[in-house]
Structure formats: structure tokens, C-alpha cells
Amino acid sequence: MSFLESVHARAAAQPRRIVFPEHDDPRVIEAIRALAARGIVEPVLVGRPSRTADPCEVVDPAAGGLADEVAAELLREGNRGRPLTPEDAARQARNPLIVADALVKWGRADGCVAGAVYTTADVLRAAIAVVGPAEGVQTISSAFYMVVPPFRSAEEEVLTFTDCAVVRYPSATQLADIAIGAARDRVRIVGDVPRVALLSFSTSGSGAGSSVDLVRAAVAEIRAKAPTLAVDGELQGDAALIEGVAARKAPDSPVGGKANVLVFPSLDAGNIAYKLVQRLASAHAVGPILQGVRRPCNDLSRGATAEDIFNVAAITALQVAGAATTALNEHRQETGT
């Protein structure tokens, strides 16, 4: 079974309610029909009811007082440090993306997939403002799941590349958040044990400079925050991936030659690396998948195909891990319902 086949099967074993706010896009319609037909997730469209959405559920923001409820939620959040006028809240409460994320926050849906029409900035702003970061996380970031041809065994592998889409020049603390978030999601999405390598042009002191110091500081923070996580750095790419190289360059590394989560020191490095591997090695790049959000909210490329949307929705379902039940309980406590 391939990685994506495994993702689809595991998502179908416990179908989650995933909301899609881009209800007019034909790629989204094609994807949700396929998702519903195969029982991968329970797709829910947010927007005006339309026959094109059959047989999927449609939530109309203008019906049943939902917009008023969302506006009240936005104003409540505004009182926590993000000032918002009632007029602004009422306007935003009719935006399908904001409504979709509110449903996720309240636990009425398990995750949100958007970005076929909305920009990445739109998706990120909504996720941060409405859903917020996970407990103990200060940095929302992203990862690509790179399905690569065999290079150290007889079978294809899945490597996590992070961050390739969100944080341009991370601090040591941000790198630590990125690494821990990627490791946590890998367990849910791939289902194996994460082995995390923080990459650099230096391996175990072979080079020096501010970027090397940054990586070392990040590794120290990770070990303090997640002491059971298999992590090392700084490591060059070959030392992280190839056991023979690791035996020479980093013989004492707990992940040398075996890493499956590659943490890049900047967005430049990560974005360039994933595109090179995608094109030169004919790897399948699945993502970007957002990590560090309190509950799953994922972004799509505006060039995404229906197949891409299908796959991201299945991965979003695997990220849930009981978050919706917690969300619903918290919402009930806040509102007294």
C-alpha cells in the first residue's frame, strides 16, 4: 500500500467532518463528490446552497442566525486584544472562510480546507485569528510530505520537509516549534516514528557561523521541550539521510543516516529543496500542510487539482486526533450552552 493509499484508508476508517468554504470552485466540487463517494471524509460546503453540491451538506452563513453567532465570536476574540467594531464583525461573519474556521473552532466541524481561491495570506490570517495556535505553540508553520523513490531501501519513502511555505527567517524558538509540530503531525499522518534532523551547511561542528549557532540553539530548545523526541543538529543533508556518510561525519548522532523529518534553517532553503527534489527526483510533493494550528486548517495552492484537494482533505482528517471534541466542550463552557 502506498503512502497516499494508506492516508485514504486511515481517514476512511473514521470519517471526519471537513469544511470547504470555496463552494463555487469546480475543482472543490469534484473533490468533495469523490470524497463523499469513497467515504474518506464527510465534506461540508460553506456558502449558498446549490444543486452542484449534491449530495453534500451545505451550510449557508446567512441562514439560521449563524452569521450573528460568528460575529459574536469575533467580537469576543476582539476583546482579548484584537479590537473589532460590530460593523466589521458583521461583515466578516458572512465570509465563508471565517464561518468555516468558526465551525472548526467550535467543534462542529473537524477541519477546514481552503486556498483554491483564497490566498495563502487569507487562509493563514483566518486560521490564526479564529482558531489560533495549539497550546504551547507560538509558531504556525507548514510541511510538505515528499514521497520519494527508493534511495536507502528497496521501497519508496515519505520525508517531511519543513518549513517550506510560511516562516521566512525563523528564530531558534520558531525552529524548535516547527520541528516539534512536524514530528507530532508525522505520527498522525505517516504513522511512523519521527527522526528529526535540523539541517545546516555544517555537521557536528565542522563549520561555524550565525546560522549554525541558530540551529544548535533550536536543538537545545527541542530537547528541553520534547526530551523523548529523536532529534539532532546541526547536520548536513547527506549526514542526515545516508548511514555511510553519517558513520564518518556524525557517528554519535541518534538520527544520522535515518532522518525522516528534515528541518530547514530558512524558508529559502526549504522551498528550494522541496522544488528541486520534486522535479529532479520525480517526487510527489503533498502539501503544504499547516502545523501548529489548534485545530486543522489547511491551505491549498491556487493551482491545486481536484486530486490535490482530495489528498489534503484526507490528511486534514488524520490531523484531528480528538481535537473536535475538545473544541465543542470549550465552546460550551465559553457560551454556557
Side-chain angles (χ1 to χ4, degrees):
M1 183 181 292
S2 72
F3 166 61
L4 287 174
E5 288 171 341
S6 170
V7 166
H8 300 160
R10 285 182 288 129
Q14 190 176 5
R16 303 287 190 171
R17 282 172 58 84
I18 306 299
V19 285
F20 298 82
E22 293 156 325
H23 62 284
D24 288 333
D25 191 281
R27 296 165 296 169
V28 174
I29 298 299
E30 181 181 347
I32 66 167
R33 284 177 170 169
L35 288 162
R38 291 181 55 183
I40 305 296
V41 304
E42 296 178 13
V44 179
L45 279 173
V46 177
R48 296 184 304 275
S50 168
R51 289 185 179 179
T52 60
D54 292 340
C56 300
E57 179 184 349
V58 180
V59 174
D60 185 353
L66 179 58
D68 292 338
E69 190 177 2
V70 174
E73 176 70 33
L74 294 174
L75 287 171
R76 187 160 50 244
E77 288 298 320
N79 291 334
R80 299 176 188 174
R82 293 188 292 273
L84 196 68
T85 67
E87 294 75 19
D88 285 340
R91 177 178 50 81
Q92 291 186 30
R94 294 184 179 274
N95 180 333
L97 177 60
I98 299 295
V99 174
D101 281 351
L103 295 174
V104 173
K105 177 174 183 177
W106 298 332
R108 299 181 197 174
D110 297 311
C112 175
V113 174
V117 178
Y118 290 103
T119 67
T120 293
D122 289 335
V123 175
L124 283 173
R125 274 195 297 265
I128 292 169
V130 179
V131 180
E135 184 176 354
V137 173
Q138 299 176 349
T139 309
I140 291 175
S141 59
S142 72
F144 277 87
Y145 290 82
M146 306 296 294
V147 185
V148 299
F151 72 99
R152 55 186 176 187
S153 72
E155 299 179 351
E156 72 176 20
E157 290 193 42
V158 181
L159 301 176
T160 302
F161 280 27
T162 188
D163 178 11
C164 305
V166 178
V167 185
R168 294 183 181 183
Y169 301 106
S171 65
T173 296
Q174 288 175 317
L175 266 185
D177 273 349
I178 290 166
I180 292 170
R184 182 182 297 118
D185 269 4
R186 184 177 177 92
V187 172
R188 297 170 182 166
I189 293 168
V190 183
D192 61 6
V193 177
R195 297 182 293 274
V196 182
L198 276 76
L199 300 185
S200 171
F201 67 86
S202 169
T203 294
S204 301
S206 66
S210 59
S211 64
V212 176
D213 294 339
L214 179 78
V215 169
R216 291 175 183 167
V219 171
E221 285 201 38
I222 295 166
R223 287 174 173 160
K225 293 177 179 177
T228 62
L229 182 63
V231 62
D232 200 14
E234 79 281 10
L235 291 171
Q236 291 166 286
D238 54 358
L241 293 171
I242 307 301
E243 286 193 278
V245 176
R248 295 191 300 273
K249 290 186 174 183
D252 298 324
S253 173
V255 303
K258 300 174 291 201
N260 53 22
V261 177
L262 304 183
V263 182
F264 294 91
S266 70
L267 185 58
D268 288 331
N271 191 273
I272 291 167
Y274 105 78
K275 289 182 182 293
L276 285 175
V277 173
Q278 181 183 29
R279 300 303 177 183
L280 297 181
S282 298
H284 188 166
V286 182
I289 303 299
L290 293 183
Q291 55 202 23
V293 185
R294 194 172 191 185
R295 293 166 193 109
C297 298
N298 275 316
D299 181 36
L300 299 163
S301 164
R302 278 181 285 173
T305 64
E307 181 184 7
D308 294 330
I309 298 168
F310 184 102
N311 290 332
V312 170
I315 285 177
T316 303
L318 295 182
Q319 288 180 293
V320 175
T325 300
T326 302
L328 187 56
N329 290 338
E330 289 176 352
H331 181 58
R332 286 170 174 167
Q333 291 172 2
E334 288 178 0
T335 60
T337 60

